[in-house]
Amino acid sequence: MSDTLIEIKDLKCRIDNQNILQGLNLKINKGEVHAIMGPNGSGKSTLSSVLAGNDNYEITKGSITFLGEDITEMSPEERSWKGMFLAFQYPVEIPGVSNINFLRTALNERNKYFGIDSIPAKDFLKMVAEKSMLVGLDNKLKNRSVNEGFSGGEKKRNEIFQMAMLNPKLAILDETDSGLDIDALKIVANGVNKLKSSENATVVITHYQRLLDYIVPDFVHVLHEGKIIKTGDKSLALELEKKGYDWLKTDTAI
Amino acid sequence: MIIKDLNQFSLNSEENKEAIANLSKNLFPSRKEEIWKYTPFKKFKKINFHNQENFKIKGLDTLNLPNLDGIVIVFENGRYNSKLSRIVETDEIDISFSSDIFPSNNFQTIKKNNYFTSLNSSFLTNSVLVNVNSNTKISKNLNFINIVSSDNCLSNTKFSIVLNDNSNINLRQYFLGNSSISNGFINHENNIYLNSSSSLSIDKFQDLNNNFNFCNEFITQKNDSKFIMNTFSCSGIIVRNDIISDVNGENCHTELNGVFSPTKNEHIDNHTTINHLVPNCKSFENYKGVLKENGVGVFNGKVIVHQDAQKIEAFQKNNNILIDQDSIIYSKPELEIYADDVKCSHGSTTGQFDDEALFYLRSRGLSIKKSLQLMTLGFINEVIQKTSNLEYVDFVLKRLLKE
Ligand SMILES: Nc1ncnc2c1ncn2[C@@H]1O[C@H](COP(=O)(O)OP(=O)(O)O)[C@@H](O)[C@H]1O
Ligand SMILES: [Mg+2]
């Protein structure tokens, strides 16, 4: 079996007649951690949305192959069932929908897709206890409405909690570090690391090198104007931290 | 319209004569009148209603209703079905099948001027009067099931209940239309009288499928009484509830809640009036509409605080969700205040589910249908939770969400 988890080829997309991704290439193998960095507005969140299946974006060119299958036309739910997970940069508040009820439905929907029985209540609760511990999610938050009235940090923890519950093959963490203080950051990073295996992969989108001290990437990519303009190892992140992005932009202009 | 092929039948011939005279005198409601503006009467056209029908329901279990432990009164096609009913004689409750000896006459003028209450009196097929004796607390629910099981069958029915001083009961009313029949019409009247310090809560459930249901409801409250009515309207060609409540004693609590969910060209109409006639009372109203696929909803809630009814607290709200663009809601909360020392508020909102929230749920593996169901549940939860029984909540949700 191939080790490739996802392969993105020459991906172009647009929204409201504005081209955002402009020929993006990226290949991620099982067991890898990739970091994507880049200035504001370079298309990082767009890339994650498109990978998760947000059809507000129109894909005008290219392909996304996930586990050997082209997923450009696949619904977000089906992508999720197959192992895609996006930790949102701005998790949505959904009033009245209980966090726990929602997650249980999510797991059961996936089970249904694979023809597996619903998860028994007891097992589910055990899993909730275990996974919320992993990210230090406050007990009372689990029973509240999804993200409603959560602080910025609580929302981010809740995202990683959901990731732990769903145990995805490919997890994309879109600026999960923003809004977290250093202690929370360590806990969340630790949680993410515990979920890592030789069968899955993580994409960490961040502005700051800081997070990469805790979730150590195998590759660091720089996204600029909808394209990856440079790829390196973790030392690239340190370099970016010192020098910013401008030196790279001039590089490509040459 | 409507009465062409009906056989006359009434329990009280004097009342009957007067009512029929009244009915022929009264014109059918005109949509020029504000309260009838949105009701699609054309859906009655070409239906030849009749009011002589046999019983068809084989057993209560075929209806799949939640726990029917207590007293069960079943009206089928407008008639009392003794086989399906379960009435246990007790010292606490008297049940009789007649329309007289009801204490309140404060609504006579309104009833005479309303086509559907006149129709009800003129062609009344059966009527039940429940008397809850003083100083009793009935622990088991009283169940009233009103079902139409024949095409084109018009049922004119009345349910009256008197709570004597310091009595307490929960009532569940079901208005049902068999899904295999069409154009049945339950034209029902509820008369409710709460004496001092009594407490009544009603969960009213309407699932008519391809049939009609009008409910005209008249409530009188004496001092220190508590009245709660939760109306869950799931389906029907036209479902219309006209609730009028006279709060005529101090320190009363009045609460009207509702969820209505019309789909597929259905029309669900809620009209409520709370008359605060005396001081020191509280009323709460909370209706939620969930509309899709050309469903039409109406909410017209009126709270009237009469002169000298000081220290009234009245809160009213109606929130609606249009699941798709094709549905329509007409919402009109109204406050009329003639006293100066009151605390009142009202409001209405109509919106759609957030696209981002939908994407969020789907990205976690929920289908569109499940996502919408979950968001709908989140939206109506506040009202659903007013009924404390889990089995009942489950039952209502399944039907409201059309699972
Ligand atoms: N819904 C949208 N409508 C119009 N433009 C958008 C929309 N979403 C993103 N963009 C534009 O796409 C570009 C990339 O945005 P985004 O992917 O959020 O960047 P990043 O996450 O790297 O900060 C920005 O110029 C932004 O204005
Ligand atoms: Mg972003």
Side-chain angles (χ1 to χ4, degrees), chain A residues 77 80-81 86 96 109 159 162, chain B residues 360 362 364-365 367 370 378:
Chain A
E77 53 271 33
S80 164
W81 299 329
L86 166 61
E109 289 269 282
E159 292 295 284
Q162 293 176 34
Chain B
Y360 187 86
R362 293 180 71 194
R364 299 295 185 250
S367 63
K370 266 276 179 261

Side-chain angles (χ1 to χ4, degrees), chain A:
Chain A
M1 239 194 99
S2 147
D3 279 342
T4 311
L5 202 50
I6 192 165
E7 185 162 15
I8 304 164
K9 277 191 186 153
D10 196 24
L11 187 65
K12 296 189 180 179
C13 80
R14 70 174 172 211
I15 189 165
D16 298 342
N17 282 325
Q18 191 187 339
N19 295 317
I20 316 274
L21 299 181
Q22 314 197 52
L24 186 137
N25 294 289
L26 183 64
K27 185 174 157 200
I28 298 171
N29 293 319
K30 291 174 183 167
E32 292 176 351
V33 176
H34 289 240
I36 297 179
M37 304 181 78
N40 265 331
S42 56
K44 303 185 294 295
S45 293
T46 302
L47 173 63
S48 24
S49 288
V50 168
L51 292 181
N54 187 336
D55 59 10
N56 286 340
Y57 300 90
E58 183 197 350
I59 294 176
T60 52
K61 194 163 188 274
S63 65
I64 307 169
T65 310
F66 182 52
L67 298 164
E69 188 179 6
D70 189 317
I71 59 165
T72 42
E73 298 292 323
M74 196 182 279
S75 70
E77 53 271 33
E78 197 174 343
R79 294 181 199 209
S80 164
W81 299 329
K82 293 196 162 144
M84 180 84 74
F85 181 88
L86 166 61
F88 284 71
Q89 180 175 4
Y90 303 110
V92 189
E93 299 193 6
I94 313 180
V97 176
S98 112
N99 225 359
I100 277 301
N101 195 5
F102 148 59
L103 268 174
R104 186 154 175 202
T105 313
L107 286 169
N108 285 337
E109 289 269 282
R110 179 167 71 187
N111 281 2
K112 197 167 79 191
Y113 177 77
F114 288 111
I116 305 170
D117 285 345
S118 294
I119 178 164
K122 208 173 113 227
D123 298 359
F124 174 74
L125 291 174
K126 196 172 146 223
M127 192 170 160
V128 166
E130 212 176 281
K131 305 298 181 189
S132 55
M133 193 116 88
L134 190 75
V135 293
L137 188 76
D138 192 333
N139 233 331
K140 66 180 190 292
L141 295 180
K142 292 179 303 209
N143 296 311
R144 290 238 302 261
S145 296
V146 180
N147 295 322
E148 197 182 32
F150 287 28
S151 72
E154 287 168 344
K155 283 182 185 164
K156 297 303 175 82
R157 280 184 202 223
N158 195 24
E159 292 295 284
I160 304 305
F161 166 60
Q162 293 176 34
M163 169 181 162
M165 291 293 291
L166 292 167
N167 192 23
K169 295 211 168 64
L170 179 67
I172 306 159
L173 314 183
D174 191 359
E175 304 214 16
T176 298
D177 50 341
S178 62
L180 292 181
D181 60 39
I182 188 72
D183 293 330
L185 184 85
K186 278 187 200 162
I187 294 166
V188 165
N190 191 26
V192 172
N193 287 332
K194 285 214 180 104
L195 296 169
K196 227 156 58 177
S197 80
S198 58
E199 286 304 303
N200 63 27
T202 314
V203 176
V204 185
I205 294 174
T206 182
H207 262 316
Y208 305 104
Q209 197 286 131
R210 192 178 68 156
L211 176 66
L212 304 181
D213 286 341
Y214 302 100
I215 304 175
V216 183
D218 302 300
F219 301 95
V220 174
H221 310 279
V222 178
L223 190 64
H224 176 59
E225 291 180 350
K227 263 195 233 176
I228 287 175
I229 55 165
K230 192 169 178 70
T231 294
D233 61 15
K234 64 183 181 197
S235 65
L236 176 58
L238 287 165
E239 203 175 347
L240 290 168
E241 181 92 342
K242 266 195 228 107
K243 302 207 273 187
Y245 296 103
D246 287 346
W247 60 284
L248 283 171
K249 293 180 196 166
T250 37
D251 264 14
T252 51
I254 295 169

Side-chain angles (χ1 to χ4, degrees), chain B residues 136-277:
Chain B
T136 50
K137 182 170 171 35
I138 317 281
S139 56
K140 285 186 178 161
N141 297 308
L142 169 64
N143 299 284
F144 174 70
I145 301 168
N146 195 337
I147 182 162
V148 58
S149 62
S150 284
D151 289 333
N152 296 20
C153 178
L154 170 62
S155 312
N156 287 297
T157 52
K158 263 194 189 79
F159 180 98
S160 305
I161 185 165
V162 179
L163 279 91
N164 287 299
D165 291 356
N166 198 29
S167 65
N168 185 325
I169 194 167
N170 296 322
L171 168 64
R172 286 185 183 162
Q173 291 193 325
Y174 298 92
F175 295 88
L176 308 171
N178 257 10
S179 59
S180 57
I181 63 143
S182 59
N183 294 332
F185 179 15
I186 302 175
N187 180 36
H188 181 78
E189 184 178 310
N190 269 333
N191 293 298
I192 294 157
Y193 198 96
L194 288 92
N195 279 301
S196 301
S197 306
S198 64
S199 165
L200 170 65
S201 83
I202 304 179
D203 287 320
K204 186 172 118 191
F205 177 81
Q206 297 168 299
D207 199 9
L208 276 298
N209 293 299
N210 276 314
N211 304 284
F212 301 86
N213 179 208
F214 279 36
C215 288
N216 280 284
E217 332 204 30
F218 302 93
I219 300 127
T220 308
Q221 276 185 267
K222 299 311 249 185
N223 62 291
D224 301 284
S225 63
K226 182 174 182 182
F227 177 70
I228 301 177
M229 182 153 190
N230 304 313
T231 302
F232 304 110
S233 314
C234 306
S235 71
I237 304 173
I238 306 177
V239 172
R240 185 173 163 126
N241 299 303
D242 288 77
I243 303 176
I244 304 181
S245 166
D246 277 5
V247 188
N248 209 350
E250 293 197 27
N251 303 314
C252 283
H253 174 110
T254 309
E255 197 174 323
L256 303 177
N257 304 301
V259 179
F260 52 101
S261 62
T263 57
K264 305 201 177 92
N265 297 307
E266 291 171 338
H267 179 100
I268 302 181
D269 213 320
N270 282 297
H271 289 255
T272 65
T273 306
I274 298 175
N275 277 311
H276 280 293
L277 301 163

Side-chain angles (χ1 to χ4, degrees), chain B residues 81-144:
Chain B
N81 185 330
S82 60
K83 267 217 186 94
L84 297 184
S85 301
R86 201 182 319 120
I87 296 181
V88 208
E89 295 289 335
T90 68
D91 297 341
E92 299 166 326
I93 282 191
D94 303 319
I95 295 171
S96 58
F97 293 89
S98 63
S99 61
D100 40 23
I101 59 164
F102 192 76
S104 164
N105 52 15
N106 40 331
F107 299 112
Q108 294 315 320
T109 320
I110 297 171
K111 287 186 185 178
K112 269 184 193 149
N113 291 321
N114 179 309
Y115 182 88
F116 291 94
T117 45
S118 301
L119 175 69
N120 182 284
S121 300
S122 310
F123 295 93
L124 189 70
T125 38
N126 216 332
S127 166
V128 59
L129 172 67
V130 176
N131 199 69
V132 186
N133 295 329
S134 309
N135 304 313
T136 50
K137 182 170 171 35
I138 317 281
S139 56
K140 285 186 178 161
N141 297 308
L142 169 64
N143 299 284
F144 174 70

